[in-house]
Amino acid sequence: MTTQKPSLPEIPPELQDNVRLMPWDKLYNWGRKRSLWPLFTGLACCAFEFIAAAASRFDLGRFGMDIARASPRQADLMIVSGTVTKKMAPQVVRLYNQMAEPKYVIAMGACAISGGPFKEGYNVVSGVDKLIPVDVYVPGCPPRPEALYNAILTLHAKMEREPIRSLPWYQGGVGDDGIPVPALGPDMVDWQVVGECDLERSK
Ligand code: SF4
């Protein structure tokens, strides 16, 4: 797909050292990507790598993300670091719904991506993308802080490409209902083993 570059007016030569012109989208997205506020969603051991990424040796402050929020109301980036258990799944979805648009999700670590070493465990969701949309996946068990940094830069690149006039959350009224919160029970059935369960029951 080719994107047409917007034409910008010429800057007179005497002003070229002092004046920069850029499309509104670029300026707006530059501000957004440099002011992401992460919601700390540390669910298991990967959370320690996220904590390390935020500490002084690595320093998330370079991206304008100094503080991981404990409240979804002030956060627009959910970093899911750790195993999503079926017991925790409703809380993850509820927090995601409470975040303000536009919002993004990074799935950090094998567990958040697919269930990791606990995949198909009776109590583990096989990836947080079964519950909420994920923008960037960070593989590893656990991924190092550098990998998380690469994911943040990947997310920045994605945000830069977003044309703000056509995004759904600026059109009004979109996404008000949120994602249905899964209930422990029918929504959490592991369909891969349902047949086996029926067989066991019929014995
Ligand atoms: S991916 Fe590995 S380090 Fe991360 S939460 Fe799962 S088991 Fe722990």
Side-chain angles (χ1 to χ4, degrees), residues 2 19 21 41 68 76 134 140-141 150 152 158 164 170 172 175 196:
T2 55
V19 175
L21 293 179
T41 322
D76 55 4
V134 171
C141 177
N150 188 58
I152 292 166
K158 178 177 181 176
I164 59 173
Y170 292 119
E196 294 170 30

Side-chain angles (χ1 to χ4, degrees), residues 11 15-21:
I11 303 175
L15 293 177
Q16 281 183 0
D17 286 342
N18 303 315
V19 175
R20 288 270 183 278
L21 293 179

Side-chain angles (χ1 to χ4, degrees), residues 87-155:
K87 191 171 184 180
M88 198 62 189
Q91 281 63 257
V92 171
V93 175
R94 194 171 291 120
L95 287 170
Y96 177 80
N97 285 340
Q98 289 174 349
M99 288 165 62
E101 294 278 9
K103 54 194 170 189
Y104 303 91
V105 176
I106 292 177
M108 181 181 180
C111 283
I113 292 174
S114 65
F118 312 111
K119 186 171 174 62
E120 297 181 2
Y122 72 96
N123 62 334
V124 172
V125 178
S126 304
V128 72
D129 59 1
K130 303 282 186 299
L131 305 169
I132 54 177
V134 171
D135 297 282
V136 185
Y137 297 84
V138 193
C141 177
R144 281 189 49 84
E146 293 92 333
L148 180 60
Y149 277 35
N150 188 58
I152 292 166
L153 292 173
T154 305
L155 182 61

